[in-house]
Amino acid sequence: MKLKQLIESSKLQDDYSAILDFIPYAKFIGVTITQDKNGWLFTLATEPNNIGNPITPALHGGVIAGFMEVAAALGQMLTSQHPTIPKIINFSIDYIRAAGVKPTYARCSIVRQGKRIANITVLAWQKDELQPIATARAHFLLGEEV
Amino acid sequence: MDSKELLTQGNNFLQVLPHCKKLGMKVITASKGQATIELPYNPEILGIDSHGYVHGGILTTMMDTVCGFAVTSALPAQEFCPTLDLRMDHMRRASAKGSIFAWAQCYKITRSICFTRGYAYQDDPDDPIVHCVATFVRSGKAWGKGGFVKLGAEDLLL
């Protein structure tokens, strides 16, 4: 199935598992996609294997970054008129608060979507969206339609 | 601590970090302020199933881990140093053919901050997959029984 059709049918059914099935890493860390009144919401499940620091305990910083990169790529794909699989150019993350072992959420904003390059920012939080645990910025190279 | 002790310490360290253990990461070289880790191939870490490339998030996880260990190996005493920020530049994709290696160096330590840089590669260190810079914050505290304990002033005079 073409990517555009896959995205359209997922939106119709409000079930994005078919998209996530194509992304082994997203399943590996436990990402899910939903929509609420503010737009796309990405959730990282509480998964003991995502722990980086067992003493505090806290999620691995790399998992938070990976989750936010997945969210940025999916956010770009889901909102694009001509979806392609975005290829990461660079990714920058600022860690703001310790991330406990609890559900983590992310929302992204498409700052600029050009013909070839997209600039996406991502905010991640746990208890309160106004108290983020991390912010990130990603540049993606946009390829051919699949 | 000599390189052999650092290598043992590094591998013990990765064994107690659940995510690193799950990924099967191993420290393969270690010296004061520098380290290399190896990540074996695993189909669960691919970005897009049919493309056969490892997801960027895995490379970020490797770089955060190896930069963090480079910091640990450079400090005079065990000290908890969370990541402040990290930037990844992707030169090309990592193929799903065998191990990925990540090297990092802690090139400057101040009283508050540790500065690191590194890269990841597969076959050739001169043809890296990603470059990374990351900074870590010194907490002035070490792991202790039941939590963190304050380090003495002499440990922090860098």
Side-chain angles (χ1 to χ4, degrees):
Chain A
M1 197 192 288
K2 290 205 170 196
L3 185 62
K4 194 170 180 176
Q5 288 170 297
L6 176 69
I7 291 172
E8 278 167 10
S9 72
S10 299
K11 283 180 182 173
L12 277 175
Q13 294 164 45
D14 195 29
D15 177 357
Y16 302 90
S17 51
I19 295 175
L20 293 166
D21 282 344
F22 282 97
I23 312 169
Y25 178 68
K27 294 184 92 174
F28 181 69
I29 58 172
V31 180
T32 49
I33 309 171
T34 49
Q35 256 188 308
D36 67 7
K37 61 180 176 13
N38 295 319
W40 299 105
L41 178 69
F42 302 92
T43 305
L44 180 69
T46 308
E47 162 62 64
N49 280 322
N50 287 344
I51 296 173
N53 176 342
I55 297 174
T56 11
L59 296 180
H60 194 297
V63 175
I64 298 164
F67 167 53
M68 291 171 85
E69 186 180 323
V70 167
L74 286 168
Q76 192 280 327
M77 266 169 57
L78 289 167
T79 47
S80 174
Q81 296 291 312
H82 306 284
T84 63
I85 292 168
K87 186 177 173 185
I88 189 79
I89 301 169
N90 50 36
F91 180 85
S92 178
I93 181 165
D94 294 338
Y95 295 97
I96 298 166
R97 289 182 177 84
V101 185
K102 55 182 88 162
T104 306
Y105 306 96
R107 225 185 265 290
C108 48
S109 107
I110 319 292
V111 179
R112 168 91 210 274
Q113 160 120 13
K115 276 186 184 159
R116 296 176 61 208
I117 289 175
N119 177 305
I120 323 268
T121 57
V122 192
L123 189 80
W125 74 93
Q126 292 189 322
K127 269 188 176 167
D128 180 357
E129 194 164 350
L130 296 175
Q131 295 198 323
I133 58 158
T135 62
R137 188 273 298 147
H139 280 128
F140 289 104
L141 196 60
L142 308 174
E144 299 291 308
E145 285 184 50
V146 186
Chain B
M1 208 180 286
D2 67 20
S3 292
K4 203 176 164 188
E5 285 172 317
L6 276 173
L7 203 64
T8 309
Q9 189 206 48
N11 280 313
N12 291 343
F13 179 64
L14 293 188
Q15 278 300 306
V16 298
L17 308 184
H19 194 64
C20 299
K21 191 179 174 187
K22 166 93 177 166
L23 288 168
M25 283 186 195
K26 282 194 172 69
V27 182
I28 56 165
T29 72
S31 58
K32 191 173 169 64
Q34 285 190 37
T36 312
I37 60 173
E38 178 178 358
L39 176 87
Y41 171 66
N42 170 4
E44 291 180 301
I45 62 174
L46 296 180
I48 299 287
D49 208 4
S50 55
H51 288 194
Y53 297 113
V54 171
H55 195 276
I58 281 292
L59 299 167
T60 310
T61 298
M62 282 190 87
M63 292 316 306
D64 186 33
T65 306
V66 73
C67 289
F69 183 61
V71 166
T72 301
S73 74
L75 288 168
Q78 192 202 66
E79 184 175 346
F80 175 56
C81 297
T83 318
L84 177 64
D85 62 9
L86 179 149
R87 179 198 161 106
M88 300 280 287
D89 285 312
H90 295 259
M91 315 286 112
R92 58 186 181 83
R93 283 170 154 160
S95 72
K97 294 179 195 160
S99 293
I100 300 172
F101 302 91
W103 173 87
Q105 175 190 40
C106 177
Y107 64 93
K108 176 72 182 171
I109 296 174
T110 69
R111 271 177 291 182
S112 309
I113 305 291
C114 304
F115 296 87
T116 66
R117 57 188 164 208
Y119 56 82
Y121 61 95
Q122 280 187 297
D123 304 321
D124 180 2
D126 291 329
D127 184 21
I129 304 159
V130 291
H131 275 276
C132 168
V133 287
T135 52
F136 294 79
V137 186
R138 298 185 66 181
S139 69
K141 291 170 184 168
W143 309 122
K145 276 184 187 166
F148 293 107
V149 288
K150 266 193 182 171
L151 290 174
E154 66 278 10
D155 293 322
L156 299 170
L157 292 175
L158 273 172

